[in-house]
Amino acid sequence: MIAESDVELADGRKLHVYDTGGGADRLPVFWHHGTPNIGPPPEPLFAAADGLRLRWLGYDRPGYGGSSPHSGRNVASAAADVSSIADALGIARFGVMGHSGGPPHALACAALLPQRVVAVVSVSGLAPLDALADWFGGMGPAGEAELRAALGGRPALERYLRSSEFDPELFTPADHEALAREWSWLNGIAAKGLATGFGGMVDDNLAYVAPWGFDPAKVTAPVLIVQGGSDRIVPSSHGKWLASHIASAELWLRPGDGHISALNSGESALRWLRDHATVK
């Protein structure tokens, strides 16, 4: 059962929040959703989280679902938003986990809220634009075109998104199998992420290709990087860079997995998070 509520921020915005609740013995874990999704925590991992005594939290990033837009937000903006949610719910310390577009935001929380974030799981996450000599290397043509459009600014990206369709070839056969089975939940979440238009997606993509507002190397909490070796949306070079530049990071490279099927390691990743959290 997920409880939904709105948190009002000092700047007048609101964030739509999801919370599975539970007793004081549960470790809170914030889920950071991908692009273009909304923020409910990952239903396929509910049973595993319950067994590990974890409390899932999530929120619609600004511009998605029930959350107000935040003009000009960068990746680092997520830290202040999550801090406000945690304050409103009386949560002092927590873990963070993200998939796809979520990991940069999860890492922002860890870098900018070091006294609050106890462990991080990044699945299929991007590295900063200036991290790699060939940041686009290994991306499928459609994914690369979308992010290159983002480099051209908001009007160019909006034109691209209005005129393009999702290319299923960005997903590997393992991805398509995961979406048809264990991770079919994502299909509905993505549809809801676009239900109110491209606003959240545009803001996400502009933030990915701009300066993030923090240095991933400043993260000191334990970090698990899970990356599919066959990922056509976020190539494995991104995960390798993150793992090599965050001193506290451990890399799980899954050669046969793509962007979605990497989530099949989610239960093991949650056990890792529980074991490595600096507050048990």
Side-chain angles (χ1 to χ4, degrees):
M1 184 73 178
I2 301 178
E4 299 186 36
S5 63
D6 290 330
V7 170
E8 302 289 337
L9 304 181
D11 62 5
R13 292 186 295 120
K14 72 172 182 178
L15 297 172
H16 191 67
V17 177
Y18 307 84
D19 183 1
T20 61
D25 64 325
R26 289 181 178 262
L27 173 67
V29 178
F30 274 88
W31 171 254
H32 291 266
H33 66 79
T35 302
N37 297 347
I38 57 173
E43 190 175 295
L45 295 178
F46 278 10
D50 191 54
L52 293 165
R53 307 299 295 167
L54 301 177
R55 171 186 177 183
W56 277 120
L57 300 133
Y59 73 106
D60 299 336
R61 267 197 305 280
Y64 286 105
S67 291
S68 307
H70 182 187
S71 179
R73 65 176 167 93
N74 61 7
V75 173
S77 301
D81 285 349
V82 167
S83 183
S84 294
I85 295 169
D87 288 347
L89 297 177
I91 295 169
R93 306 191 74 188
F94 47 84
V96 291
M97 179 176 182
H99 171 248
S100 187
H105 300 91
L107 289 169
C109 293
L112 300 174
L113 305 171
Q115 302 306 313
R116 303 190 80 164
V117 174
V118 299
V120 184
V121 174
S122 162
V123 184
S124 308
L126 287 163
L129 181 65
D130 61 358
L132 299 162
D134 186 6
W135 192 75
F136 296 99
M139 290 185 185
E144 178 178 350
E146 182 177 317
L147 290 167
R148 286 194 183 278
L151 284 171
R154 182 177 296 273
L157 179 56
E158 290 176 342
R159 285 194 300 271
Y160 175 83
L161 292 174
R162 284 196 298 268
S163 64
S164 66
E165 296 183 358
F166 180 77
D167 180 5
E169 291 300 312
L170 288 173
F171 289 149
T172 67
D175 287 333
H176 285 293
E177 182 177 358
L179 284 168
R181 300 175 62 184
E182 299 93 337
W183 288 93
S184 60
W185 169 83
L186 279 170
N187 296 313
I189 295 298
K192 290 177 181 178
L194 289 171
T196 56
F198 290 124
M201 187 178 189
V202 168
D203 288 341
D204 271 355
N205 281 319
L206 293 175
Y208 300 143
V209 301
W212 282 7
F214 72 97
D215 181 357
K218 299 297 185 183
V219 174
T220 56
V223 178
L224 176 62
I225 307 292
V226 181
Q227 207 83 18
S230 302
D231 194 331
R232 298 171 185 167
I233 296 177
V234 179
S236 60
S237 56
H238 289 245
K240 292 174 182 176
W241 185 92
L242 289 170
S244 66
H245 286 77
I246 300 173
S248 59
E250 177 179 339
L251 174 64
W252 289 2
L253 184 63
R254 298 172 58 90
D257 277 329
H259 194 67
I260 303 298
S261 62
L263 282 166
N264 288 334
S265 65
E267 184 172 346
S268 297
L270 285 180
R271 284 198 298 270
W272 182 98
L273 187 152
R274 191 48 146 148
D275 290 343
H276 288 78
T278 52
V279 172
K280 302 298 179 77

